Amino acid sequence: MENCLFCKIAAGSIPSDKVYENEELLVFKDIHPAAPVHLLIIPKQHISTLSDCTGTDAGLLGRMLALVPELAVQQGCQVQQDEHGNRQGGFKTLINSGPDGGQEVYHLHLHMIGGPLPWRGQR
Ligand code: 5GP
Ligand code: ZN
């Protein structure tokens, strides 16, 4: 897709801080991180917005989300229990969609935001 920032990142014509890649998906660091860990998970194929997705995209959407636990381990923000059984670690996942949903880049992306608190806008 011409003039799409994330298509250009997927094609390598605009540089990014890549943390994971396979045939279908690319994961790179957000340029303005909202937390110690802030990744963007994108399909290499252009889809403008979640609002354009249908049941035929269920596999792709599932694989985007299913990658998150592996990324959390890689980034050191997985949910785990300490010796007292208290949970620690963690992250948020978010897909902004459309103007009212705060979407700025019209190439589908899943935010993964995590790491030790405090984060911007969150205690
Ligand atoms: P949206 O608001 O569309 O859900 O999020 C777009 C995200 O892309 C923002 O968090 C923004 O910081 C990030 N972003 C925008 N331009 C670039 C860029 O050129 N490189 C990277 N790595 N992230 C970008
Ligand atoms: Zn695109």
Side-chain angles (χ1 to χ4, degrees):
M1 183 65 132
E2 253 176 81
N3 283 329
C4 168
L5 177 63
F6 287 177
C7 280
K8 289 179 183 166
I9 286 178
S13 58
I14 290 182
S16 68
D17 203 341
K18 239 183 253 182
V19 304
Y20 177 90
E21 183 171 17
N22 65 21
E23 270 186 14
E24 179 179 48
L25 303 175
L26 176 69
V27 184
F28 54 95
K29 293 187 180 175
D30 195 293
I31 206 165
H32 294 125
V37 175
H38 190 164
L39 304 180
L40 300 173
I41 300 157
I42 67 164
K44 290 182 175 176
Q45 172 211 340
H46 183 85
I47 296 173
S48 292
T49 177
L50 183 61
S51 199
D52 288 345
C53 291
T54 65
T56 59
D57 301 303
L60 169 72
L61 293 168
R63 288 187 291 278
M64 288 170 70
L65 201 55
L67 190 56
V68 170
E70 187 183 323
L71 295 167
V73 171
Q74 184 196 101
Q75 299 292 318
C77 61
Q78 73 271 34
V79 180
Q80 53 190 349
Q81 291 190 15
D82 66 17
E83 64 274 25
H84 307 294
N86 298 316
R87 287 196 182 86
Q88 49 188 313
F91 51 83
K92 278 181 191 249
T93 46
L94 175 72
I95 300 178
N96 295 324
S97 305
D100 291 349
Q103 184 173 5
E104 287 173 6
V105 178
Y106 278 82
H107 180 125
L108 178 67
H109 53 281
L110 172 63
H111 292 258
M112 177 186 166
I113 304 168
L117 295 174
W119 308 341
R120 206 179 342 134
Q122 171 144 356
R123 295 182 284 134

